[in-house]
Amino acid sequence: LNNQKSYTSSSSKLINFEEKNIKKILIQSGADALELIRQDSIWNISGADSLIIKKQSVSNLFNSLLSLETQMLMTEKKEKWIAYNIDDSTGTHIALVDWNDVTIGYFVFGRSASDYSRCYVRVNNSPNVYLTSNNVMYNLQTRPDYWGEKPLETVLPEGNSQ
């Protein structure tokens, strides 16, 4: 007899809210952390005022998160999180905060060692770990230079000064 628990695959959307509802994004991986905060319609990188936000990086993050689906339950046991790179120290954490400063989504993502096109996720305080439809790990960077770039300097012709 096979004692292995069989899991059925069923897809469901991971995130059920819209980008416009998000005011703040917190990303943490190991000891590194980054905060993106929206002021009106403009995203900024906390603590990196000299960088201009790369709109495409923010857009890519939302596109990947909003289309992400959980496909298969991998485990319901907290003791197995380490095997999925999704425990508190090895996982990449992302918190989505609304305009009332309420965390409306908290996710921990982990890399799949065998399938680079997908990753694992656990949601809020649930012990359940799911395999996802796509890999969003490359969008969850804590380096400010991934999210922003230095503004281009205007070089004036010689002899002109302002």
Side-chain angles (χ1 to χ4, degrees), residues 6-129:
S6 69
Y7 293 107
T8 56
S9 177
S10 63
S11 293
S12 65
K13 255 187 166 339
L14 181 65
I15 296 176
N16 294 314
F17 41 83
E18 297 178 45
E19 177 181 349
K20 67 181 180 183
N21 298 334
I22 307 299
K23 172 184 134 183
K24 194 184 303 182
I25 302 167
L26 303 160
I27 303 171
Q28 186 226 329
S29 182
D32 299 324
L34 178 117
E35 178 183 64
L36 300 173
I37 190 158
R38 185 177 2 208
Q39 295 164 329
D40 297 318
S41 63
I42 308 292
W43 286 98
N44 293 297
I45 306 162
S46 293
D49 296 337
S50 64
L51 298 178
I52 304 293
I53 199 81
K54 296 177 190 172
K55 291 179 185 173
Q56 192 61 46
S57 294
V58 175
S59 179
N60 289 345
L61 172 66
F62 277 110
N63 287 341
S64 62
L65 284 176
L66 293 173
S67 66
L68 195 63
E69 295 181 343
T70 57
Q71 291 192 319
M72 186 183 338
L73 177 63
M74 302 304 291
T75 186
E76 298 172 328
K77 297 178 179 169
K78 188 175 182 177
E79 310 83 65
K80 298 207 174 188
W81 286 357
I82 191 83
Y84 297 99
N85 298 308
I86 208 156
D87 66 336
D88 289 339
S89 61
T90 60
T92 298
H93 303 247
I94 181 169
L96 303 174
V97 180
D98 72 8
W99 293 95
N100 296 316
D101 289 323
V102 174
T103 300
I104 58 174
Y106 183 81
F107 310 93
V108 181
F109 289 93
R111 295 187 188 281
S112 170
S114 61
D115 185 350
Y116 297 111
S117 66
R118 300 193 286 177
C119 59
Y120 301 109
V121 67
R122 61 184 170 93
V123 181
N124 297 323
N125 293 321
S126 172
N128 297 348
V129 175

